[in-house]
């Protein structure tokens, strides 16, 4: 779901043999900032403090992320995150 200060996201890698890397951007124009990430059941919390987050997914895996965010802290930008 989506709230004023975060979003829940599930990522899945269906490949049986290839790892995948996914870049997540906080906001359509990078205007927000990730503050922290709760992984899967919330047993791991990672401090982020950036507008981009990279997630590595091994083959045949699924991960649930609870993304904490501060909204409208950056000037909107069309610069790609990579």
């Amino acid at each position: 779901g989506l709230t004023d200060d975060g979003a829940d996201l599930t990522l899945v890698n269906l490949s049986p043999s290839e790892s995948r890397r996914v870049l997540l951007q906080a906001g359509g124009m990078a205007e927000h900032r990730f503050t922290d990430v709760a992984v899967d059941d919330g047993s791991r919390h990672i401090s982020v403090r950036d507008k981009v987050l990279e997630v590595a997914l091994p083959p045949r895996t699924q991960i649930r992320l609870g993304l904490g965010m501060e909204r409208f802290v950056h000037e909107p930008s069309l610069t790609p995150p990579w």
Side-chain angles (χ1 to χ4, degrees), residues 2-3 5 17 30 44 48 54 57 67 69-71 78:
L2 189 61
T3 65
D5 62 352
S17 60
R44 277 187 27 199
V48 180
E54 183 175 11
L57 292 167
L67 303 166
M69 280 189 275
E70 294 174 333
R71 296 176 61 200
L78 294 174

Side-chain angles (χ1 to χ4, degrees), residues 41-62:
D41 59 0
S43 60
R44 277 187 27 199
H45 288 269
I46 301 165
S47 180
V48 180
R49 309 281 309 155
D50 202 346
K51 57 186 167 184
V52 177
L53 173 66
E54 183 175 11
V55 179
L57 292 167
R60 293 180 289 200
T61 57
Q62 171 179 308

Side-chain angles (χ1 to χ4, degrees), residues 6-40:
D8 294 325
L9 180 66
T10 300
L11 299 173
V12 180
N13 180 2
L14 296 175
S15 173
S17 60
E18 299 290 325
S19 293
R20 303 285 189 231
R21 297 183 99 58
V22 179
L23 282 178
L24 304 174
Q25 178 175 283
M29 298 180 74
E31 68 273 26
H32 308 318
R33 175 175 44 219
F34 294 120
T35 57
D36 64 300
V37 179
V39 180
D40 287 328

